Amino acid sequence: MRATLLPATAVALLALTACQSKTETTTVNNSATENTTTAAVTPIELPPAIKTEGSYRCHGDNSLVKVTFFEAKKDGTMTAAIMSPPEAPPVQLSGAAGKPMTADGGWSLSGNDKSFKLTQPGKPAQECSK
């Protein structure tokens, strides 16, 4: 049985090697597609990096607030996220450098990441520090 299998295998291999394989090469010019793709891509501006984050005690009503101060944006705008009470969703405040950061609803923060004056909706302005 083995003796007949060997010559049949050899004949099959010989037939396969006699076949001529043809390869087609197709060249596609994608330069027009690449140029329109790169022209359409606009640069992505990353959000500002966190400068400082911490919990602050406000001396008016002895409340605790959590504030995240961000690095200044390219245009000089300062931003901060405040959570009052600390479990509340953050409120984004922003303003020009040297001016108070504000948000809709009566929020205002002026100062720096060591101590600041905070005005919240429905509360008088109070000093807060670490």
Side-chain angles (χ1 to χ4, degrees):
M1 175 100 172
R2 199 171 226 193
T4 14
L5 187 59
L6 190 57
T9 306
V11 170
L13 285 174
L14 184 61
L16 285 175
T17 57
C19 292
Q20 186 179 25
S21 65
K22 293 184 180 179
T23 312
E24 288 186 29
T25 305
T26 306
T27 306
V28 177
N29 184 1
N30 284 333
S31 61
T33 307
E34 289 175 12
N35 289 339
T36 56
T37 304
T38 53
V41 175
T42 57
I44 297 172
E45 186 178 337
L46 296 175
I50 293 175
K51 181 179 179 181
T52 325
E53 183 174 53
S55 295
Y56 297 82
R57 180 68 61 188
C58 294
H59 306 291
D61 62 359
N62 205 29
S63 62
L64 189 65
V65 295
K66 183 177 178 182
V67 182
T68 303
F69 290 93
F70 297 97
E71 293 289 339
K73 294 181 180 180
K74 290 179 183 177
D75 63 359
T77 304
M78 305 295 292
T79 57
I82 185 165
M83 292 173 275
S84 176
E87 323 63 61
V91 175
Q92 297 291 328
L93 295 99
S94 64
K99 300 212 176 186
M101 291 181 268
T102 59
D104 292 339
W107 291 89
S108 176
L109 185 147
S110 59
N112 57 36
D113 59 348
K114 303 288 184 235
S115 68
F116 52 85
K117 185 177 182 180
L118 176 66
T119 304
Q120 301 177 57
K123 290 186 179 181
Q126 53 188 341
E127 293 290 326
C128 303
S129 62
K130 280 194 170 194

